[in-house]
Amino acid sequence: MDFLYTYETLKLEFPLVGPEEAKFVILGVPFDGTTSFKPGARFGPTLIRHATLNLESYILDYDVDIAELPIADIGDVAVVAGDPRKTADRVRETVEELKRVNPGAIPILLGGEHSQTLGAVEALKPASYVVFDAHLDLRESYEDNPYNHACVARRIGELGVREAMFGIRSGTREEVEYAEREGIAWVHARDYDFDAFVELVKPLPEPVYLSVDIDAFDLSLVPSTGTPEAGGLKFWDVVEAVEWLVENKRIAGFDIMEVAGSGLGDVTALTAAKLLFHFIGAMGKRRP
Ligand SMILES: N=C(N)NCCCCNCCCN
Ligand SMILES: [Mn+2]
Ligand SMILES: [Mn+2]
């Protein structure tokens, strides 16, 4: 099947199925047009796919071989250079097209900057948005653009989607006050633990869209990202939360965003690829 806005790319190395029969559908969004500090997230989708070549498809934690699961990869979205809204429109239209041909598919976005999560959320209309991020992303506008990566959670909340954020350690006073006014729950990275995650996420309505801005992890794991911040989360802390979420909530979609880098085998892409495999593996382990 051909999508209006996608083109073929490097693929994962195990047998992939078509988007019509897949359970998981990977879509790259190589966009970094509003990156404000470190560029390179446009290379994220390719770097993550390449990093997966280094990993075993068998997830020994779960006794699941994801190569046996129905996964499709529909390539990357053709971005509109410098325009986060028009590119997110293409993401939205691509995900809408996918859901028309395969309503049961779970889209997995590989970014590319966080602004593009909006397109997937607009298409999927989840009841809740659970996000791991160093940043609140609740700015009204940043660098004269309301669709800047620093505004994505505000745009999503304006759609009426409930939000819970984890790993936060950066934001403005206005964003903190906005979160307070709007009842947006967030946990500072220094206060994060599994119990705090379950306590906030358990009452959220389903389905849930799970977004991981890779800068939620500690800087040692993700040196190549758009707006790096020290003092982040540990890898297995996030995986443990993902496992609980997958087991206890219906998932509308998933993404791993803000993976930048300039070379193959980049540490940040390896972290993202491992997380990707654990998400798919945990979904594969879940009772039908
Ligand atoms: N959501 C985000 N990634 N936010 C980052 C926005 C840019 C913050 N730089 C502020 C620099 C002030 N000197
Ligand atoms: Mn961030
Ligand atoms: Mn973000």
Side-chain angles (χ1 to χ4, degrees):
M1 173 182 177
D2 291 330
F3 291 83
L4 183 58
Y5 293 124
T6 65
Y7 55 89
E8 282 287 295
T9 57
L10 170 74
K11 288 275 181 272
L12 277 65
E13 67 175 339
F14 34 79
L16 296 169
V17 299
E20 297 87 347
E21 62 264 36
K23 178 66 181 166
F24 310 102
V25 179
I26 290 170
L27 170 64
V29 190
F31 182 81
D32 61 7
T34 76
T35 296
S36 50
F37 184 73
K38 193 169 185 175
R42 67 180 64 186
F43 304 123
T46 296
L47 290 172
I48 297 170
R49 289 189 178 97
H50 177 267
T52 67
L53 303 179
N54 174 54
L55 303 178
E56 298 288 359
S57 60
Y58 176 65
I59 312 298
L60 52 84
D61 318 49
Y62 311 138
D63 187 23
V64 169
D65 189 333
I66 64 173
E68 297 165 0
L69 298 176
I71 301 170
D73 184 339
I74 59 175
D76 286 355
V77 168
V79 305
V80 179
D83 193 323
R85 177 65 271 184
K86 286 185 179 163
T87 301
D89 286 339
R90 290 186 170 187
V91 170
R92 186 190 74 248
E93 290 181 43
T94 302
V95 175
E96 285 170 345
E97 246 182 304
L98 169 64
K99 294 297 278 185
R100 277 195 292 275
V101 299
N102 183 350
I106 295 178
I108 299 176
L109 261 62
L110 301 180
E113 66 168 53
H114 216 176
S115 61
Q116 297 310 298
T117 295
L118 179 62
V121 169
E122 287 171 334
L124 297 166
K125 300 181 175 54
S128 303
Y129 174 69
V130 171
V131 59
F132 286 90
D133 202 323
H135 308 88
L136 287 167
D137 289 357
L138 289 172
R139 287 178 183 250
E140 169 53 31
S141 177
Y142 188 63
E143 295 187 334
D144 288 339
N145 195 323
Y147 296 103
N148 183 285
H149 65 280
C151 313
V152 64
R154 190 144 178 169
R155 301 288 86 80
I156 288 171
E158 290 166 350
L159 299 172
V161 180
R162 293 277 303 279
E163 297 182 292
M165 308 176 171
F166 303 92
I168 302 295
R169 53 202 187 273
S170 177
T172 62
R173 179 179 292 119
E174 196 275 332
E175 290 177 274
V176 172
E177 291 170 350
Y178 179 83
E180 183 77 28
R181 280 199 313 276
E182 299 297 316
I184 296 170
W186 60 274
V187 176
H188 195 293
R190 64 196 310 170
D191 302 322
Y192 178 85
D193 63 21
F194 180 67
D195 293 342
F197 178 82
V198 173
E199 183 184 344
L200 279 187
V201 175
K202 200 168 207 170
L204 289 180
E206 297 171 276
V208 174
Y209 186 97
L210 172 62
S211 181
V212 177
D213 178 330
I214 206 74
D215 64 31
F217 289 105
D218 189 68
L219 209 44
S220 56
L221 298 170
V222 291
S224 307
T225 187
T227 46
E229 293 267 349
L233 304 179
K234 289 184 280 191
F235 183 79
W236 295 115
D237 281 354
V238 177
V239 170
E240 186 184 30
V242 170
E243 290 167 349
W244 184 91
L245 192 71
V246 156
E247 194 56 43
N248 291 280
K249 294 286 182 182
R250 270 184 305 115
I251 303 295
F254 172 59
D255 66 34
I256 304 176
M257 308 303 277
E258 299 287 353
V259 174
S262 53
L264 299 179
D266 187 290
V267 167
T268 307
L270 287 164
T271 298
K274 187 74 173 170
L275 178 65
L276 173 66
F277 275 27
H278 269 276
F279 171 79
I280 297 174
M283 290 292 287
K285 173 172 165 280
R286 189 178 63 169
R287 293 185 302 279

